[in-house]
Amino acid sequence: MGSLNNLREEDLLREAKIILKEKFGYHQFRSGQQKIIQDVLNGRDVFAMMPTGSGKSLCYQIPGYLLNGTVLIVSPLLSLMEDQINALRAAGERHARALNGMMHAQERIRVLRHLEELRFLYISPEMLCRSDIREALAKITISLFVVDEAHCVSQWGHEFRPDYLQLARIREQLGHPACLAVTATADERVREDIIRSLELHEVAQTIMSVDRTNIALVVRNVSNDDEKMEQLCKLLRTTRLPGIVYCASRDWTERLAELVRRQLGLRAAFYHGGMESIDRRKIQNQFLDNQLDLLCCTNAFGMGINKPDIRLVVHFHFPATMNAYLQEIGRASRDGQQGLAVLYYSPQDNQYPEGFIDSNFPEDAFLLHTLHELDEGVLTIKNKDQFLNDLQERGSSETAARFIYERIREKPAYQSFHSIFKRSKSMIEQRRRVLLNDLSIMKNYLTATECRRAYYLKVYHEDSHEKPVYCCDQCGINLADFDSVNFEDTVINRKQLMSWEERLSYIFKESERSKQ
Amino acid sequence: MTEKVRIGDDALMFSETLLLFLIKQFNGERTLSGIYHLLKGKKSSQSIQDSFLFRVEPFYHLCDDLERQSFQKLIEHLGDHEWIKYVNSEQTRVILTEKGMDKLSMFKIERMIPDGLRITNYVTTEKQFWLRLQLLIQTLSALRYQQTAFLPITKFPAVTEAVRRIIMESSLSRNQLVHQFYQEIRRLLTSIPILEANIFASQFSGYHMTGLTLRQISDESGKDLFECRTFFKAALRRIMQELSKNKSRYPFTALLMSPGVSGLSTTAGVSLRFLKSGLSAQEAAHRRNLSIGTIEDHLVEIALKDPTFDLSEYLTDELEHRIMDHANRLNTRQLKTIKKALQEGVSYFQIRLALAKNTVR
Ligand SMILES: [Zn+2]
């Protein structure tokens, strides 16, 4: 590499740091970010694995200010898109938009009309597969092709998205811009899949540790639910908040929120998939806005949520995979301060993840019956949503319905539906084995007698590095160190105004108007 | 799951009484799903028609947030007290027991229900209106506090688009706009009972103050969730009525109301336009790419809500009288029973149409 090139590189890095400070308000790159940004600015294909909460979005947002053209970000999560655009707008960026299936046609037209003015365009994979949208995109300069949640491209992953397989071809049609593939979790098998499927060449890889050293890990064995609730209340009485309590069922989220509210007088609410979408949003916004101390939720909560000061993540029930666990506790203390993760384990809890695994797949009889109905013409797959809905009305879970739909879509047209039964069954067996294996890894974490951190690093084939001061219960931890009295938090205790006149006058800032 | 049975029976007094009342009105002629759909405000002509047939119009769409399981739990709760009993072996239809009758007679449902709930002209657009109103308030609050970004409480495209248009098309400055709107909302809330106004406004979101859910309001106030829903819907309906009656007093807020045939669902309204232009039901179905059954549903809805529309093409006077004779003689509103009595030559559609025409006062 010539010196001129080096000089340029230094300049770019300096520029990047200025943007980091001025636009985003950070003084320093976090580990991993700098190398990724440098590789991106040098026009390389980049694969980055960064744990949740380590600031992956900056890795393409900062280059957006230094490269010519539009950064295109493919993301499967609508909530994530929205959250990021919101964060960009709050940072003063007006040229960030999204294109997804949830938008009004009018809004879509407006976005397409101003395409070349955009610095950032978030797009869902299904939108990108539409030819009219691709044509419009082909007319502008794409400076960087970002694939977020890149593990969705792998059939090995639990979140495989067939649309993602088209991405290499689409990138070609858009003039082969450099590609940045990012994911929070991917084992070696999945990584290889990503690099191959996205056709990344001479790829620069940054694999960051899954370890979040600022989160202390505690597992508590209890004998039953009553003891669990007792311990939880004891913990919440003194520990630094805000916090999240993850539960395996909707029912539990409601029970715990009520318990905590009544017994401790905390501002607690519940959040789960059975609520009206507007109620879910309200609860989410209340939590983000410090109007709640505690949120009791199912795993439906958290995707795309960016709240840096969550201090405590409790698992009232343990999740089905180590991946999910790390993802969920990774929502604690994203600002780098000390966080705490507590998991309560009682032997009865084993039923939950096992039930969850079963609900991923249709039972034999149900599958057989569905295929039969398809052959008879009682059911059709002409309309995907209708089909998924029909199966759910017949008692299937949503994931099982999707599973059946995917199998049917793969079926050659000349074959009967019934013909795919055997193959589907063996696929279920295979996937179930993978999931059960994941589950046993998670369970071993709960019963491990070694350091919790060392255990999960081993799962991810990482070497143990220096232990943080607050490591885990096995290494010895005093929960009292996490009491709120030890911290000087400015308590923002926003009160809800219940009288309509007061509330209205606050919302419209009328009291100040009269003073003006 | 939601609405747990609380300690102390009076906490549930309202929902118990309401459910018992509805069960009495339905008198076992519809399944429990029928009652659930009524409360939920299912957009089927069957549910709309039922609300007229059984004289429970105010309760249609009373709680669009009601979960099936919560409803089921409440029914079980009534069963545990032996206030209701099943009348068929599939255990889908219930009536009141003597005990249930006694329990119900202790309360005057008329007194528990605020007048506002009885305003049903706008029921098909009330949800849309409510979402628009909340988003507009949130947006204007953000403007007023010069907040560059906020998480909207709804992303439903039709709502976002409508609110956007209202703000963009206004000729007032942003600041004036906010003030104008504040005054209109203030005027509207002053015109309704204070309890209703408080429950209504507690749900508003603004700068760093996200609105409460009805469930939270119920927890906060110690009132039964159904009671909160009732007061909320009463407020909403009063406000929509006031807006449509006195548009000129609320030039800005009135823009949130959807124009259209009063009380007809949007899709039935479109069908009505086609039919009025002289198309047959079959042709309208073809043009709209809908099934004939759907158009028939719309016709039933039209029969309920627009008595001026001529339906003789589908139902002769003579047939209508025959159907009503049987229905009255058998003292039932069950389609199957009526059809059986009439024997061949009469369709379910015609029976539904006749019943619909004859429930309109
Ligand atoms: Zn340790």
Side-chain angles (χ1 to χ4, degrees):
Chain A
M1 210 180 282
S3 62
L4 197 76
N5 212 341
N6 275 335
L7 187 72
R8 191 172 166 266
E9 210 173 296
E10 263 172 38
D11 285 345
L12 279 175
L13 191 62
R14 197 174 319 120
E15 294 278 314
K17 280 187 177 153
I18 293 172
I19 290 162
L20 179 72
K21 185 151 176 264
E22 291 189 343
K23 295 269 175 200
F24 299 97
Y26 296 108
H27 292 278
Q28 241 170 10
F29 283 118
R30 283 151 81 177
S31 81
Q33 282 177 339
Q34 181 169 328
K35 176 172 184 299
I36 296 169
I37 289 172
Q38 269 180 309
D39 287 333
V40 166
L41 290 175
N42 284 331
R44 307 225 3 217
D45 281 350
V46 179
F47 171 79
M49 188 176 110
M50 307 174 80
T52 324
S54 50
K56 64 178 173 176
S57 51
L58 282 184
C59 294
Y60 50 83
Q61 287 171 348
I62 288 182
Y65 290 92
L66 296 168
L67 300 168
N68 281 328
T70 306
V71 176
L72 186 70
I73 303 116
V74 185
S75 169
L77 299 169
L78 297 188
S79 57
L80 200 97
M81 281 191 199
E82 196 196 324
D83 184 64
Q84 300 238 327
I85 290 179
N86 205 52
L88 281 168
R89 288 213 184 130
E93 178 55 63
R94 313 179 78 201
H95 302 288
R97 287 282 184 285
L99 279 174
N100 61 53
M102 271 298 291
M103 291 163 69
H104 198 274
Q106 214 47 45
E107 172 84 19
R108 198 150 61 217
I109 290 167
R110 270 199 302 275
V111 173
L112 285 173
R113 205 178 287 149
H114 299 283
L115 221 43
E116 55 202 299
E117 294 162 25
L118 293 184
R119 197 188 297 280
F120 302 103
L121 177 62
Y122 289 82
I123 192 163
S124 63
E126 62 271 23
M127 273 290 131
L128 198 52
C129 288
R130 284 176 47 157
S131 58
D132 57 331
I133 296 211
R134 268 206 319 275
E135 277 162 28
L137 286 173
K139 290 189 193 125
I140 62 165
T141 311
I142 306 286
S143 58
L144 181 62
F145 188 84
V146 181
V147 181
D148 201 359
E149 310 291 326
H151 57 273
C152 293
V153 82
S154 169
Q155 308 236 27
W156 296 109
H158 303 313
E159 297 164 72
F160 172 58
R161 299 271 302 226
D163 290 336
Y164 264 54
L165 292 174
Q166 311 285 330
L167 292 182
R169 194 173 53 81
I170 292 168
R171 180 184 162 207
E172 217 48 57
Q173 291 169 2
L174 298 179
H176 198 79
C179 178
L180 165 63
V182 279
T183 175
T185 61
D187 59 24
E188 277 158 66
R189 213 168 32 171
V190 174
R191 273 178 237 162
E192 280 167 27
D193 249 11
I194 293 171
I195 292 170
R196 192 175 40 77
S197 310
L198 293 177
E199 297 174 17
L200 306 182
H201 293 298
E202 293 174 26
V203 56
Q205 296 198 42
T206 300
I207 313 287
M208 284 171 58
S209 171
V210 295
D211 197 9
R212 289 282 308 281
T213 48
N214 63 326
I215 301 173
L217 307 155
V218 174
V219 176
R220 286 279 182 259
N221 287 300
V222 292
S223 47
N224 55 42
D225 288 339
D226 285 341
E227 195 188 336
K228 241 192 220 182
M229 289 190 275
E230 212 174 284
Q231 289 219 18
L232 176 69
C233 284
K234 200 168 150 243
L235 179 79
L236 294 174
R237 210 181 289 274
T238 54
T239 306
R240 191 185 186 199
L241 297 171
I244 306 178
V245 180
Y246 279 105
C247 308
S249 72
R250 295 171 179 182
D251 226 355
W252 270 110
T253 65
E254 301 194 7
R255 273 181 74 177
L256 292 182
E258 179 149 329
L259 176 79
V260 169
R261 221 177 21 238
R262 277 172 187 267
Q263 289 221 346
L264 309 176
L266 287 173
R267 300 172 303 168
F270 60 83
Y271 179 108
H272 58 63
M275 293 156 67
E276 284 271 292
S277 76
I278 187 160
D279 285 357
R280 276 207 308 271
R281 274 182 174 270
K282 281 184 174 173
I283 298 295
Q284 175 200 302
N285 288 1
Q286 288 174 13
F287 188 61
L288 292 177
D289 239 353
N290 298 317
Q291 288 165 238
L292 293 172
D293 306 307
L294 193 76
L295 194 64
C296 303
C297 57
T298 61
N299 61 4
F301 179 81
M303 226 31 133
I305 298 298
N306 190 11
K307 182 173 171 60
D309 63 348
I310 298 170
R311 300 298 168 215
L312 173 70
V313 175
V314 175
H315 278 81
F316 199 77
H317 302 105
F318 68 92
T321 69
M322 201 71 223
N323 251 347
Y325 184 63
L326 293 182
Q327 190 119 30
E328 284 162 10
I329 65 169
R331 302 201 166 108
S333 282
R334 292 199 175 169
D335 57 3
Q337 288 197 36
Q338 185 61 51
L340 173 66
V342 180
L343 188 154
Y344 293 108
Y345 175 53
S346 94
Q348 300 102 283
D349 297 343
N350 290 326
Q351 50 165 326
Y352 290 108
E354 276 158 25
F356 167 75
I357 289 176
D358 287 337
S359 74
N360 271 302
F361 309 106
E363 283 173 28
D364 285 0
F366 185 85
L367 178 61
L368 205 57
H369 186 69
T370 304
L371 296 175
H372 180 72
E373 286 197 318
L374 281 159
D375 277 326
E376 296 279 297
V378 182
L379 273 169
T380 80
I381 55 162
K382 252 190 261 156
N383 180 329
K384 179 180 173 185
D385 291 335
Q386 184 64 47
F387 177 72
L388 294 179
N389 195 33
D390 286 348
L391 291 196
Q392 285 174 67
E393 294 235 317
R394 287 165 163 76
S396 162
S397 75
E398 195 193 331
T399 33
R402 280 183 194 282
F403 177 86
I404 296 181
Y405 180 77
E406 287 306 326
R407 299 293 78 70
I408 291 168
R409 242 174 46 148
E410 292 161 5
K411 175 189 83 69
Y414 56 86
Q415 283 183 5
S416 73
F417 289 97
H418 185 77
S419 69
I420 65 168
F421 179 66
K422 254 202 177 137
R423 214 164 54 82
S424 305
K425 238 191 95 160
S426 75
M427 192 165 222
I428 293 175
E429 283 312 311
Q430 188 196 335
R431 290 213 181 164
R432 189 192 292 274
R433 260 200 307 278
V434 173
L435 293 177
L436 284 173
N437 184 47
D438 285 349
L439 177 59
S440 76
I441 292 173
M442 182 68 217
K443 280 195 196 165
N444 289 340
Y445 172 83
L446 304 175
T447 50
T449 48
E450 59 187 309
C451 165
R452 311 263 176 215
R453 206 170 295 272
Y455 175 86
Y456 74 61
L457 287 176
K458 216 162 53 192
V459 170
Y460 287 90
H461 306 285
E462 277 189 41
D463 299 328
S464 299
H465 29 86
E466 208 179 317
K467 276 182 189 169
V469 181
Y470 297 104
C471 181
C472 68
D473 55 323
Q474 305 286 10
C475 296
I477 242 172
N478 182 7
L479 282 179
D481 290 346
F482 298 85
D483 283 356
S484 53
V485 292
N486 303 325
F487 301 90
E488 286 173 20
D489 289 334
T490 21
V491 183
I492 311 168
N493 205 337
R494 294 211 170 88
K495 224 180 124 44
Q496 286 281 358
L497 297 170
M498 303 295 283
S499 124
W500 74 262
E501 287 196 270
E502 277 172 42
R503 193 176 183 94
L504 208 60
S505 132
Y506 165 79
I507 286 178
F508 293 102
K509 217 178 170 186
E510 275 299 314
S511 45
E512 246 166 74
R513 199 185 287 272
S514 50
K515 280 182 229 143
Q516 275 168 12
Chain B
M1 167 181 341
T2 325
E3 291 119 90
K4 226 165 313 131
V5 178
R6 289 242 194 81
I7 334 111
D9 265 350
D10 44 327
L12 272 176
M13 200 251 326
F14 193 94
S15 38
E16 284 166 357
T17 312
L18 174 65
L19 262 280
L20 289 176
F21 171 74
L22 294 177
I23 289 167
K24 176 173 155 265
Q25 293 299 101
F26 274 72
N27 196 27
E29 298 205 8
R30 293 286 184 273
T31 63
L32 283 166
S33 289
I35 299 180
Y36 175 71
H37 289 148
L38 172 86
L39 290 168
K40 192 96 178 136
K42 190 179 179 196
K43 282 199 188 83
S44 75
S45 299
Q46 179 72 57
S47 289
I48 297 169
Q49 189 178 356
D50 280 354
S51 74
F52 283 91
L53 272 179
F54 300 111
R55 307 217 169 278
V56 287
E57 302 100 291
F59 306 96
Y60 177 81
H61 202 246
L62 174 63
C63 23
D64 32 321
D65 59 334
L66 182 62
E67 279 179 63
R68 187 87 202 204
Q69 258 170 301
S70 314
F71 177 75
Q72 201 53 45
K73 275 214 169 151
L74 249 162
I75 295 294
E76 280 163 23
H77 171 78
L78 300 182
D80 291 346
H81 281 83
E82 295 175 346
W83 290 327
I84 56 172
K85 63 176 180 219
Y86 288 102
V87 289
N88 60 341
S89 54
E90 297 91 1
Q91 305 222 321
T92 52
R93 290 187 279 126
V94 296
I95 56 170
L96 294 192
T97 59
E98 292 268 318
K99 226 176 136 190
M101 288 286 195
D102 289 348
K103 167 88 183 163
L104 182 60
S105 67
M106 286 160 61
F107 303 97
K108 275 257 169 289
I109 189 89
E110 292 78 16
R111 252 186 252 153
M112 290 166 52
I113 301 304
D115 295 338
L117 205 68
R118 292 177 224 280
I119 304 163
T120 56
N121 296 359
Y122 315 98
V123 70
T124 49
T125 52
E126 69 187 19
K127 182 160 193 179
Q128 180 97 311
F129 171 81
W130 174 233
L131 286 176
R132 288 177 181 178
L133 180 67
Q134 287 182 94
L135 183 61
L136 184 60
I137 289 173
Q138 193 190 15
T139 311
L140 292 179
S141 181
L143 281 174
R144 177 76 177 114
Y145 283 90
Q146 297 177 322
Q147 195 180 12
T148 44
F150 65 95
L151 289 170
I153 44 133
T154 174
K155 282 287 275 181
F156 190 56
V159 176
T160 318
E161 200 55 26
V163 169
R164 205 190 101 88
R165 210 174 322 126
I166 289 171
I167 295 177
M168 298 302 279
E169 285 172 7
S170 163
S171 55
L172 298 172
S173 77
R174 292 286 153 89
N175 209 2
Q176 288 172 319
L177 191 71
V178 175
H179 189 59
Q180 165 76 23
F181 187 62
Y182 165 77
Q183 286 183 318
E184 289 184 19
I185 292 292
R186 214 191 126 71
R187 204 173 300 144
L188 281 166
L189 289 176
T190 314
S191 74
I192 66 175
I194 184 155
L195 176 64
E196 290 178 21
N198 285 341
I199 289 181
F200 192 73
S202 295
Q203 300 173 73
F204 292 169
S205 298
Y207 179 72
H208 287 314
M209 187 177 291
T210 304
L212 298 173
T213 65
L214 277 169
R215 174 66 184 263
Q216 287 179 309
I217 293 172
S218 151
D219 288 334
E220 196 91 3
S221 63
K223 282 195 173 56
D224 181 318
L225 180 51
F226 273 90
E227 192 172 6
C228 293
R229 285 170 173 143
T230 301
F231 283 125
F232 159 57
K233 275 290 154 80
L236 181 62
R237 291 173 187 180
R238 284 189 220 266
I239 283 172
M240 289 182 78
Q241 174 168 271
E242 171 69 10
L243 278 173
S244 90
K245 278 194 175 153
N246 299 305
K247 275 199 187 68
S248 57
R249 293 192 70 202
Y250 314 94
F252 188 49
T253 319
L255 296 172
L256 292 169
M257 301 274 283
S258 329
V261 183
S262 90
L264 266 194
S265 64
T266 326
T267 174
V270 175
S271 294
L272 178 61
R273 278 214 310 279
F274 277 106
L275 296 168
K276 274 188 171 163
S277 78
L279 294 187
S280 70
Q282 195 71 51
E283 286 163 335
H286 186 70
R287 283 276 284 279
R288 296 203 60 198
N289 205 8
L290 293 172
S291 74
I292 182 73
T294 306
I295 301 291
E296 287 176 355
D297 279 349
H298 292 167
L299 278 163
V300 173
E301 202 182 322
I302 291 163
L304 287 166
K305 306 226 167 126
D306 185 0
T308 61
F309 187 73
D310 179 16
L311 292 160
S312 57
E313 189 182 328
Y314 312 97
L315 180 71
T316 61
D317 283 354
E318 188 262 321
L319 184 55
E320 183 183 336
H321 287 141
R322 251 180 69 208
I323 293 171
M324 289 319 292
D325 276 352
H326 279 83
N328 292 334
R329 196 156 39 78
L330 297 164
N331 191 22
T332 183
R333 295 291 182 257
Q334 265 189 313
L335 304 181
K336 211 197 256 170
T337 318
I338 299 173
K339 186 159 184 337
K340 215 189 266 166
L342 283 158
Q343 288 155 3
E344 71 272 23
V346 182
S347 67
Y348 278 119
F349 168 57
Q350 286 166 320
I351 300 172
R352 285 167 57 207
L353 212 49
L355 291 177
K357 280 186 79 173
N358 287 278
T359 49
V360 183
R361 290 133 302 162

